[in-house]
Structure formats: C-alpha cells, structure tokens
C-alpha cells in the first residue's frame, strides 16, 4: 500500500472515518457541501478512485450506488504518517523530536508530565 494520501484525498478519508469507516457517495457529497467545498462530481470520483487504487478504500456496489469502505483506520494512518515523519525528519530519533517539541514550547511541561504518567500506567 502506498502510504501517502494527498491533502484532497485526506478530506474524503476523514469524512469516511467520521462516518464509522464507510460512506455512500451521496453522504460524502453532502458532507463536502456542508463544509462549503465546491468540488465537482468528477473530481470527487477521481479522488475516491485513487484512494481505492492506493489500497485505502474498498468500493462496494449497493444496487447502482457505491459505498466506500476504509481499509485503513484513522489511527493506523496516523501511526503510519507519524513513523514516516519521524524517520524522514528525525532519522527515527524520538528524543530529538520530543526535545524540539519542548524547546519550541509546542509541548508544555504539564503535557510532558501527563504523557509520563500515561506511560507509567500503561506499563504497570
């Protein structure tokens, strides 16, 4: 499976994930409209087709309608992207990432303590 989803494809995947991992084309179009997205039908169909080719979606026919089913959960995709980011930017060095987060004040000391407490509880 290619592990990259374009920004546009990610918009569609998020709609599908938010709908429990499966969505009819009509629901996807309704959600896009709610978000003031003006993509044309052909654009959406092309993006959905690409996601299917990349192995992120299965397409199930229901009569004449298509249901798009996520093959990868949002959590699994986030994990794949996190590993990819960590490898590309930090050479896989988690300490460097955390150091940057702390130095740039992206991660507060309180948040770090919460993470440490969570980690301790998970490993007991």
């Amino acid at each position: 499976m290619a592990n990259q989803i374009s920004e546009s494809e990610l918009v569609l995947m998020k709609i599908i994930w938010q709908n429990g991992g499966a969505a009819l084309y009509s629901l996807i179009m309704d959600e896009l409209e709610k978000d003031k997205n003006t993509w044309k039908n052909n654009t959406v169909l092309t993006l959905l087709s690409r996601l299917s080719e990349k192995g992120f979606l299965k397409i199930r026919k229901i009569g004449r309608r298509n249901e798009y089913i996520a093959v990868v959960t949002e959590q699994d995709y986030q994990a794949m992207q996190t590993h990819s980011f960590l490898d590309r930017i930090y050479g896989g060095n988690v300490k460097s990432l955390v150091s940057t987060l702390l130095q740039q004040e992206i991660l507060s000391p309180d948040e770090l303590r919460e993470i440490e407490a969570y980690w301790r509880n998970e490993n007991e």
Side-chain angles (χ1 to χ4, degrees):
M1 173 186 312
N3 72 349
Q4 290 301 316
I5 292 178
S6 73
E7 288 300 315
S8 298
E9 292 166 344
L10 189 56
V11 168
L12 300 180
M13 288 301 295
K14 284 185 176 188
I15 291 170
I16 294 166
W17 286 325
Q18 288 165 359
N19 196 55
L24 292 172
Y25 177 77
S26 56
L27 180 129
I28 293 169
M29 293 307 288
D30 289 346
E31 290 298 317
L32 288 171
E33 201 174 299
K34 280 183 201 166
D35 289 340
K36 306 285 188 265
N37 187 312
T38 58
W39 288 340
K40 303 283 182 248
N41 288 353
N42 283 349
T43 302
V44 176
L45 289 170
T46 298
L47 292 170
L48 290 167
S49 177
R50 278 194 207 143
L51 285 164
S52 175
E53 289 166 13
K54 291 178 180 182
F56 287 101
L57 288 180
K58 284 188 309 195
I59 302 171
R60 183 171 66 181
K61 288 269 185 215
I62 301 175
R64 292 179 20 193
R65 302 184 306 165
N66 283 344
E67 181 179 42
Y68 296 90
I69 303 163
V71 174
V72 175
T73 66
E74 187 170 18
Q75 293 80 6
D76 286 345
Y77 183 70
Q78 288 169 341
M80 286 180 349
Q81 290 306 301
T82 301
H83 285 285
S84 173
F85 171 79
L86 189 61
D87 288 344
R88 280 182 298 123
I89 307 300
Y90 291 95
N93 187 325
V94 176
K95 285 182 193 170
S96 291
L97 168 62
V98 173
S99 175
T100 299
L101 294 173
L102 289 168
Q103 288 170 0
Q104 297 298 314
E105 297 179 356
I106 298 167
L107 181 67
S108 72
D110 285 345
E111 289 170 320
L112 182 59
R113 281 190 286 280
E114 283 178 35
I115 292 168
E116 289 170 341
Y118 171 80
W119 186 253
R120 274 194 297 279
N121 290 338
E122 284 293 308
N123 290 303
E124 287 178 354

